[in-house]
């Protein structure tokens, strides 16, 4: 048997761990900062000090824990992955009241977590009259949240796909669709690569990034890409991507080459972890008004994660073979419907024709606000895209046989 | 100009020592992938072992005493637009009156301690070898020097500090030796004060901005005709890919990294130890040695988070390379090549830096040449500045001979 029965799960961080965090926070040492540094050099000192003080004196983890457990019914399941043995996977699972709701797997990335599904979950599962609805599974990726981490090297595209697919099939969802951003985008693409048609029927990504057409694989696309000019918007986005590559990818390079080295800091220092993640939460979103407790809840998921905060960043190394190749290299073009939900402040936005190297693009949206964490920042917009892609008249309506998401 | 130098001893407070120990007691380690080795960064077994040694056995007070055997001082140096910085430095004179004044500049993750093994060799007075009066500062933001407080403290600001330091000690004309960031700053010092004050300099990490076809067509063509050159460049590209993560982080978000450095002793240890262990040539660091080195960062005056800012300041936040605003100078330059130096530049490209008058190649040694191979490095300096050498007598009236 490649999976075990579903076990209900409630987050409960042991008191000893809460106490250790408290002790560490109480002895936090802060660096200095240049005058008027703003965000130029990284997360500002005043912000980080404030967050640490709140974490130390005010933030009530037990209350947050209770609320998460109340909002999100969670489970764990052992899932076998070839060469890696059994991994215990933590996930949220909510079925719609409509029997034939479309099964949807929601996949987070880094520095995201399963909580990103919180705002879209009620919208996706709600049985509204003229809207498709969904049964939603939102897993914690191995090494994130309360899922076990792989103990061996080489857990990459194929393994994430195998694990996620086994999970869905074991829950009775032989056929399903996938939604993801960040690593969720690449894992959704990996699911398509390995399980398109048989299990995975379509995917919607909110991370519209891809490699340019390659002469070796798609010579016509490559040629057309060379000859056809880009739109002004596309040129601006390419410029923004170059800027991001230069100024915003230090974390990627380090995590893809030396995740262990960085991991010592993230595992030992709550403020170190907080700053590392908080910097992305703010710089990757479109003016999203993060509440301090929201940030602390998010960071706490990392701090209290089953495998520890250092395990999560290994995904960068594994999915790029230690920075040898781009993560998109593990994704093959498949003919199942592919959609892109595009938000203006997302980084690495590429020309639309590049997106077509990842699959059969049948749906594209363009929003006027929002950034990297679409489900968290713009849940209505993202759900709107899901509904338009999979709803009646949409390009992926009825992709899951017998489950079109409408009342029968 | 600097005021009178005051003697300085390292004196870490009991409170700081206690806080360090409290943190070491609470140290929380990550797990590690099976068989990870060095493929993912500093191995868990190493970091745990050294952290536990730090917690249980490392005697900072004894180490402090040993460090204080080095003659150290501080002095105030004015930097245009940045006010006055209190600069810490080692200063050891040779018994030879007319020893050559030499400024030794560390890099990252180095420190003034890198001069330690060179000192007795370079300052020894002899009728057969040139000797040197040696000055080895802590760069602003490192060791026991104050850090700049305003943005914009770049290469020329560091050069100003270095030059003024030498002038304040009465060394109107001097020579310079460095690797790593010290080499980068040497280029700035040569540009700003070359010939007038800096008479000649030596580097054990001879690099510069790469040539373009337009600037140096022959050097570019050589990439295709000379296997050694193309191999060096390939190696450099691999080193960048696998080892350049720290650079990308430090040039763009040093503040974000600083929180970890300031709060986690073993986090700081791992980040630095990863470099110490890997970019040397068969050099066996003892726990005490590593921890002494890390302690200079942990107990640094500006705190462990300040030093990485130099990467941002030198590159405009990774907008450009570290040599922005400098050019080739005719200040005589000596180069030494150590086989395990990871930051490699084809030898034929050294002429892009300055007027190369001396070149030495060794069969052993890595990035921290002064620490790993002090005799070899000192030997190169003696050859370069000694009688018959290409920079003999470059400092008028101070040929270094007793």
């Amino acid at each position: 048997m490649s999976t075990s029965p579903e076990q209900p799960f409630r987050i409960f961080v042991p008191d000893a761990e809460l106490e250790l965090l408290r002790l560490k926070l109480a002895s936090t040492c802060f660096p200095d900062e240049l005058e008027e540094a703003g965000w130029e050099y990284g997360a500002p000192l005043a912000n980080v000090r404030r967050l640490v003080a709140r974490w130390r004196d005010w933030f009530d983890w037990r209350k947050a824990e209770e609320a998460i457990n109340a909002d999100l019914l969670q489970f764990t399941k052992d899932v076998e992955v070839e060469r890696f043995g059994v991994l215990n996977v933590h996930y949220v699972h909510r079925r719609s009241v409509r029997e034939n709701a479309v099964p949807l797997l929601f996949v987070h990335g880094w520095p995201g977590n399963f909580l990103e599904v919180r705002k879209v979950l009620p919208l996706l599962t709600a049985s509204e009259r003229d809207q498709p609805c969904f049964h939603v599974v939102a897993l914690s990726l191995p090494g994130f949240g309360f899922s076990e981490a792989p103990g061996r090297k080489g857990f990459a595209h194929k393994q994430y796909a195998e694990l996620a697919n086994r999970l869905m099939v074991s829950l009775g969802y032989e056929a399903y669709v996938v939604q993801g951003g960040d690593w969720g985008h690449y894992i959704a693409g990996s699911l398509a690569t390995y399980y398109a048609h048989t299990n995975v029927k379509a995917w919607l990504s909110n991370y519209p990034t891809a490699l340019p057409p390659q002469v070796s694989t798609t010579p016509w696309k490559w040629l057309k890409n060379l000859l056809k000019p880009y739109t002004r918007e596309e040129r601006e986005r390419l410029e923004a991507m170059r800027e991001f590559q230069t100024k915003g990818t230090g974390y990627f390079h380090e995590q893809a080459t030396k995740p262990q080295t960085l991991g010592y800091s993230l595992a030992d220092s709550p403020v170190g972890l907080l700053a590392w993640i908080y910097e992305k939460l703010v710089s990757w979103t479109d003016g999203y008004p993060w509440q301090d407790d929201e940030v602390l809840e998010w960071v706490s998921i990392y701090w209290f994660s089953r495998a520890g905060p250092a395990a999560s960043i290994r995904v960068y190394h594994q999915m790029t073979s230690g920075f040898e190749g781009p993560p998109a290299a593990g994704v093959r073009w498949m003919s199942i419907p592919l959609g892109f939900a595009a938000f203006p402040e997302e980084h690495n936005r590429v020309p639309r024709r590049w997106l077509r190297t990842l699959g059969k693009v049948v749906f594209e949206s363009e929003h006027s606000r929002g950034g990297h964490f679409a489900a968290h920042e713009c849940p209505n917009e993202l759900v709107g895209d899901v509904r338009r892609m999979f709803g009646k008249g949409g390009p992926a309506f009825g992709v899951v046989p017998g489950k079109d998401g409408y009342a029968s | 100009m600097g005021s009178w130098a005051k003697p300085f001893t390292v004196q870490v407070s009991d409170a700081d020592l206690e806080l360090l120990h409290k943190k070491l007691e609470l140290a929380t380690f990550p797990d590690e992938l099976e068989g990870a080795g060095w493929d993912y960064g500093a191995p868990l077994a190493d970091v745990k072992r050294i952290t536990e040694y730090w917690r249980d056995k490392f005697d900072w007070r004894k180490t402090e005493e040993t460090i204080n055997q080095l003659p150290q001082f501080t002095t105030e140096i004015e930097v245009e637009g940045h006010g006055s910085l209190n600069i810490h430095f080692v200063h050891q004179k040779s018994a030879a009156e007319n020893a050559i004044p030499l400024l030794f500049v560390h890099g990252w993750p180095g420190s003034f301690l890198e001069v330690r093994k060179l000192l007795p060799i370079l300052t020894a007075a002899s009728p057969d070898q040139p000797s040197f009066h040696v000055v080895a500062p802590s760069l602003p933001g490192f060791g026991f020097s104050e850090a700049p407080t305003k943005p914009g403290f770049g290469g020329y600001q560091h050069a100003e500090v270095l030059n003024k330091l030498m002038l304040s000690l009465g060394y109107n004309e001097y020579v310079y030796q460095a690797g790593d960031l010290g080499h980068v700053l040497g280029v700035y010092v040569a540009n700003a004060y070359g010939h007038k004050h800096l008479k000649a300099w030596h580097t054990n990490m001879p690099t510069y901005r790469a040539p373009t076809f337009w600037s140096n067509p022959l050097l570019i063509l050589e990439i295709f005709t000379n296997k050694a050159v193309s191999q060096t460049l390939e190696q450099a590209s691999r080193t960048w890919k696998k080892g350049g993560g720290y650079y990308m982080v430090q040039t763009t978000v040093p503040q974000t990294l600083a929180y970890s450095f300031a709060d986690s002793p073993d986090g700081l240890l791992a980040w630095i130890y990863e470099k110490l262990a890997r970019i040397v040539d068969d050099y066996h660091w003892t726990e005490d040695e590593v921890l002494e080195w890390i302690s200079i960062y942990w107990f640094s005056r500006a705190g462990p988070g300040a030093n990485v800012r130099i990467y941002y300041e030198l590159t405009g936040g990774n907008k450009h390379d570290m040599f922005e605003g400098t050019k080739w100078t005719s200040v005589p330059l000596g180069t030494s090549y150590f086989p395990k130096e990871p930051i490699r530049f084809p030898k034929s490209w050294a002429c892009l830096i300055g007027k190369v008058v001396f070149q030495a190649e060794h069969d052993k040694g890595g990035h921290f040449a002064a620490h790993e191979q002090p005799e070899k490095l000192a030997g190169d300096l003696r050859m370069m500045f000694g009688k018959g050498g290409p920079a003999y007598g470059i400092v008028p009236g101070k040929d270094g001979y007793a």
Side-chain angles (χ1 to χ4, degrees):
Chain A
M1 157 128 60
S2 51
T3 62
S4 66
E6 185 171 77
Q7 294 289 338
F9 175 86
R10 290 173 67 83
I11 304 173
F12 183 76
V13 173
D15 284 332
E17 272 189 59
L18 286 179
E19 179 58 18
L20 177 60
L21 173 61
R22 197 192 61 78
L23 285 172
K24 282 179 176 285
L25 287 172
S27 47
T28 298
C29 290
F30 290 95
D32 66 351
E33 189 185 55
L34 293 177
E35 281 168 29
E36 289 170 27
W39 278 86
E40 272 306 307
Y41 295 81
L45 183 58
N47 298 34
V48 174
R49 272 189 180 277
R50 187 190 74 236
L51 283 162
V52 168
R54 188 160 181 98
W55 202 358
R56 187 190 64 218
D57 301 332
W58 285 101
F59 179 67
D60 186 342
W61 170 256
R62 287 290 179 223
K63 187 154 144 251
E65 200 177 58
E66 232 179 271
I68 295 171
N69 289 332
D71 287 353
L72 301 171
L73 270 188
Q74 302 154 71
F75 305 86
T76 59
K77 201 184 238 288
D78 284 341
V79 179
E80 196 173 337
V81 177
E82 197 181 322
R83 279 204 312 114
F84 286 84
V86 166
L87 291 175
N88 191 255
V89 181
H90 161 253
Y91 59 99
V92 172
H93 184 194
R94 186 186 293 185
R95 286 176 66 83
S96 169
V97 293
R98 254 181 226 162
E99 255 316 300
N100 67 339
V102 182
L104 180 143
L105 174 66
F106 177 91
V107 190
H108 71 81
W110 187 94
N113 57 71
F114 72 98
L115 290 181
E116 284 181 79
V117 79
R118 201 178 199 166
K119 298 183 193 180
V120 297
L121 194 58
L123 301 169
L124 288 172
T125 54
S127 54
E128 273 179 49
R129 219 164 67 101
D130 298 313
Q131 300 287 0
C133 62
F134 300 81
H135 302 310
V136 177
V137 178
L139 82 164
S140 285
L141 290 173
F144 288 74
F146 304 99
S147 287
E148 237 185 317
R152 311 177 57 195
K153 303 184 221 184
F155 199 97
H157 301 73
K158 185 167 199 282
Q159 287 70 35
Y160 282 105
E162 188 183 329
L163 181 137
N165 189 59
R166 281 227 163 101
L167 175 65
M168 289 303 275
V169 168
S170 77
L171 293 174
Y173 304 128
E174 288 281 341
Y176 56 93
V177 303
V178 190
Q179 200 289 306
D182 195 83
W183 286 112
H185 155 88
Y186 292 109
I187 288 165
S190 304
L191 277 161
T193 299
Y194 293 99
Y195 303 104
H197 301 296
T198 50
N199 303 106
V200 179
K201 298 302 192 183
W203 57 294
L204 171 66
S205 162
N206 59 286
Y207 191 36
T209 197
L211 297 171
Q214 306 287 308
V215 64
S216 49
T217 47
T218 54
W220 283 122
K221 284 198 173 118
W222 169 81
L223 192 61
K224 273 195 287 183
N225 184 44
L226 272 186
L227 298 175
K228 192 170 164 220
Y230 294 131
T231 66
R232 190 176 59 93
E233 235 171 18
E234 285 176 329
R235 274 183 278 124
E236 279 169 10
R237 292 218 186 95
L238 277 174
E239 187 50 48
M241 183 159 86
R242 260 174 240 124
E243 180 80 4
F244 180 76
Q245 294 295 327
T246 311
K247 311 266 294 163
T249 56
Y251 79 99
F252 194 109
H253 196 153
E254 182 69 12
Q255 291 175 192
T257 52
K258 312 282 183 208
Q260 190 67 22
T261 296
L262 173 60
Y264 296 102
S265 295
L266 302 183
D268 187 54
S269 168
V271 65
L273 176 70
L274 167 69
W276 196 258
I277 290 179
Y278 172 67
E279 185 219 284
K280 302 310 181 202
L281 296 187
V282 173
S283 58
W284 292 359
T285 51
D286 187 4
Y288 179 78
W290 290 97
Q291 300 297 300
D292 284 354
D293 282 356
E294 210 176 349
V295 172
L296 292 172
E297 183 182 64
W298 199 291
V299 176
S300 293
I301 297 294
Y302 276 88
W303 184 261
F304 293 129
S305 61
R306 182 169 175 172
S312 65
I313 57 179
R314 257 167 233 156
V315 62
Y316 287 80
H317 192 294
Q318 306 293 264
M319 293 286 271
T320 64
S321 303
F323 209 48
E324 287 294 343
V331 175
R332 277 206 310 274
W333 190 97
M334 290 288 147
S335 62
I336 57 171
L338 165 57
F340 284 101
F343 294 85
E345 288 305 305
E346 178 61 272
H347 58 255
N348 284 341
R349 293 223 23 205
V350 300
R352 290 176 60 206
R353 71 190 78 149
W354 294 17
L355 298 175
R356 280 132 181 85
T357 62
L358 286 174
K360 195 173 94 181
V361 179
V362 303
F363 175 86
E364 278 170 289
S365 70
E366 185 65 61
H367 295 282
S368 57
R369 66 176 197 105
H372 188 74
F373 300 102
H376 193 75
E377 293 178 72
C378 301
N380 291 304
E381 284 88 334
L382 184 63
V383 169
D385 286 348
V386 174
R387 287 169 168 175
R388 273 206 306 279
M389 179 169 171
F390 295 104
K392 276 182 177 147
F397 171 65
V399 277
V400 178
K403 296 186 177 177
D404 66 4
Y406 289 85
S408 34
Chain B
M1 188 88 51
S3 58
W4 292 109
K6 294 194 179 74
F8 174 86
T9 50
V10 180
Q11 267 179 317
V12 171
S13 73
D14 286 333
D16 282 347
L17 269 179
E18 252 175 68
L19 179 56
L20 169 62
H21 275 275
K22 186 158 163 205
K23 285 180 170 294
L24 290 172
E25 294 289 330
L26 293 176
T28 313
F29 293 96
D31 66 352
E32 189 181 56
L33 289 177
E34 265 172 51
W38 277 90
D39 291 348
Y40 294 78
L44 182 59
D46 285 23
V47 176
K48 253 198 171 153
R49 183 189 79 239
I50 303 173
T51 305
E52 282 160 12
Y53 187 93
W54 201 354
R55 185 189 67 205
D56 302 331
K57 296 211 177 70
F58 180 65
D59 187 343
W60 169 254
R61 289 295 179 213
K62 183 156 144 249
T63 306
E64 201 176 54
E65 239 178 80
T66 319
I67 294 174
N68 286 332
Q69 283 164 19
L70 293 167
Q72 300 163 73
F73 306 85
T74 58
T75 192
E76 290 291 320
I77 304 279
E78 269 292 319
V79 179
E80 200 179 322
H82 289 269
S84 177
L85 290 178
N86 192 258
I87 300 298
H88 159 257
F89 59 101
V90 170
H91 182 199
Q92 186 159 316
K93 291 178 85 96
S94 169
E97 264 300 313
N98 62 341
I100 309 166
L102 180 140
L103 175 62
F104 174 89
V105 184
H106 71 82
W108 187 94
S111 76
F112 68 96
L113 288 181
E114 284 179 81
V115 80
R116 200 186 218 159
K117 298 182 193 180
L118 286 177
L119 277 183
I121 312 171
L122 291 177
T123 57
S126 154
D128 304 315
Q129 303 285 1
S131 63
F132 302 81
H133 299 312
V134 179
V135 179
S138 290
L139 288 170
F142 289 73
F144 304 102
S145 289
E146 253 184 314
T149 55
K150 291 205 199 62
F153 200 94
Y156 282 113
Q157 285 66 42
H158 280 282
E160 194 181 331
V161 168
L162 296 170
N163 187 60
K164 279 182 170 161
L165 174 62
M166 292 306 271
L167 299 189
S168 79
L169 297 172
Y171 300 131
N172 199 56
E173 289 161 315
Y174 55 89
V175 303
Y176 183 113
Q177 199 293 317
D180 198 79
L181 290 180
H183 157 78
V184 174
L185 296 180
V187 171
Y188 283 90
V189 174
N191 268 252
Y193 310 106
H195 298 303
K196 179 156 188 219
H197 297 296
L198 176 70
K199 306 304 279 184
W201 65 296
H202 176 276
T203 173
N204 55 287
M205 195 188 86
T207 68
Y208 199 48
R209 71 172 73 87
T212 62
F213 182 77
W214 308 113
S215 65
N216 303 91
L218 290 178
L219 291 182
I220 296 295
L221 287 174
E222 209 192 5
I223 299 173
F224 303 100
T225 59
N226 187 326
K227 198 125 198 257
V229 171
S230 58
Q231 271 175 357
T232 299
L233 293 173
E234 258 169 58
Q235 179 61 43
S237 168
R238 266 200 299 281
T239 301
W240 165 251
K241 192 189 271 198
K242 292 302 199 177
Y246 82 99
Y247 183 95
M248 282 299 281
V249 174
Q250 292 174 198
T251 53
T252 54
V253 289
Q255 187 68 23
T256 299
L257 184 59
Y259 297 102
S260 290
F261 278 10
D263 191 53
S264 170
D266 70 283
L268 175 72
L269 162 67
W271 195 270
I272 292 180
Y273 172 71
E274 184 216 286
K275 299 307 180 198
L276 296 188
R278 298 296 270 181
I279 60 183
V280 292
D281 188 358
D282 194 28
Y283 184 82
H284 301 288
W285 297 89
T286 64
E287 276 91 354
D288 283 316
E289 213 175 347
V290 172
L291 290 169
E292 184 185 43
W293 203 287
I294 302 297
S295 295
I296 298 297
Y297 279 82
W298 184 260
F299 294 129
S300 61
R301 181 165 177 176
N307 54 86
V308 283
R309 234 168 259 151
I310 192 173
Y311 282 81
Y312 185 108
E313 300 292 69
L314 287 177
T315 61
N318 201 30
K319 271 211 209 70
H320 50 71
D321 64 44
M322 287 193 159
F323 301 100
E324 183 84 349
T326 68
K327 35 192 226 289
W328 182 92
T329 68
S330 57
V331 179
L333 170 66
T335 60
S336 290
Y337 293 86
F338 290 88
K340 289 283 159 62
E341 168 60 76
I343 300 175
R344 307 201 72 77
F345 214 54
K347 285 201 203 70
S348 52
W349 292 14
C351 63
L352 299 171
I353 311 169
K355 195 174 102 186
V356 180
V357 302
F358 175 87
Q359 182 186 292
E361 192 165 357
H362 297 282
D363 57 11
K364 190 149 200 263
H367 187 74
F368 301 103
H371 192 72
E372 297 177 61
Q373 301 293 337
E375 280 95 11
K376 286 187 165 67
L377 188 63
D380 289 349
L381 291 173
R382 285 169 162 180
M383 269 196 297
M384 179 174 168
F385 293 102
K387 279 180 177 149
Y392 172 66
I394 195 93
V395 178
K398 296 185 178 180
D399 70 355
Y401 284 83

